[in-house]
Amino acid sequence: MDISTVNALSYEDFVNVFGNVVEKCPVVSAAVWSMRPFKNLAALEAAISEFIDALPETGKEGILRCHPDLAGRELQSGTLTRESREEQARAGLDALSSAEASRVSLLNEAYKTRFGFPFVICARTNDKETILQQLTERSRNQAAAERARGIDEVKRICHVRLQSLVLAEPPNKL
Ligand SMILES: NC(=O)N[C@H]1NC(=O)NC1=O
């Protein structure tokens, strides 16, 4: 899908295609549609990033809270979004031993209790080992630093999702 195709999309189609580049936050793509035409994919990504950066801290936390736990209940019950399911599977999170699964579950719960939002990391650019290590290390961060780190990861996830959508030919959600 080239950028002229992206720029020609109605807002309904644009949200259909890009609505989940930020997990369960279609309002982000609905908002940046107003900023067309985009010169290229990087400009669309920059518009998304600026929209997120302009949110108040509660809005950023809201975005984090829309993310499912890694290797959590939604993975077990098959209710993840397609994107999230593929990302978690690629990182091997759908094939944890029961000891690993209970360790992740304990760490996820402790993280959420401490920060009030879930641990978010770009699963496509990490493997099971680094995810577990990061979950342990980042749990020790201060809340503001961790919120900022989570938002950086949201942007990494968005980058990967945009790449696979735009490189897909033809647009696969129209
Ligand atoms: N909690 C969390 O990081 N979830 C996300 N990470 C990722 O790569 N896909 C997700 O859904």
Side-chain angles (χ1 to χ4, degrees):
M1 179 172 29
D2 63 19
I3 199 68
S4 57
T5 309
V6 172
N7 285 329
L9 295 175
S10 67
Y11 73 78
E12 290 94 337
D13 286 342
F14 188 86
V15 174
N16 255 337
V17 173
F18 295 107
N20 208 46
V21 293
V22 176
E23 178 76 11
K24 293 190 188 145
C25 294
V27 67
V28 176
S29 58
V32 303
W33 180 82
S34 318
M35 293 162 201
R36 295 158 312 126
F38 301 105
K39 208 157 78 182
N40 47 38
L41 182 62
L44 167 57
E45 189 175 340
I48 292 171
S49 184
E50 281 159 28
F51 178 83
I52 294 173
D53 289 340
L55 290 171
E57 300 309 318
T58 49
K60 292 176 187 158
E61 290 189 358
I63 286 186
L64 294 172
R65 290 186 193 117
C66 289
H67 287 70
D69 284 348
L70 290 169
R73 198 176 306 151
E74 288 157 283
L75 176 67
Q76 312 307 328
S77 62
T79 54
L80 288 172
T81 61
R82 182 182 52 78
E83 292 87 343
S84 186
R85 174 168 35 85
E86 289 173 6
E87 290 156 359
Q88 298 204 33
R90 287 263 200 111
L93 296 174
D94 60 343
L96 297 181
S97 67
S98 63
E100 287 170 330
S102 38
R103 178 150 174 252
V104 172
S105 168
L106 281 173
L107 288 167
N108 270 334
E109 289 311 313
Y111 182 102
K112 288 193 282 187
T113 302
R114 176 161 159 81
F115 297 113
F117 50 80
F119 173 73
V120 174
I121 191 166
C122 179
R124 287 281 281 271
T125 51
N126 286 281
D127 56 21
K128 191 173 77 178
E129 284 70 31
T130 55
I131 290 171
L132 266 164
Q133 184 196 355
Q134 287 290 305
L135 178 49
T136 309
E137 282 177 16
R138 284 173 45 190
S139 295
R140 303 186 193 116
N141 280 344
Q142 293 301 308
E146 192 46 30
R147 183 172 53 223
R149 177 60 196 272
I151 289 296
D152 280 348
E153 296 291 333
V154 168
K155 291 178 184 175
R156 282 188 195 131
I157 297 167
C158 176
H159 175 79
V160 171
R161 291 184 181 185
L162 275 173
Q163 293 287 328
S164 61
L165 276 171
V166 173
L167 298 178
E169 199 66 57
N172 60 7
K173 286 198 178 174
L174 288 179

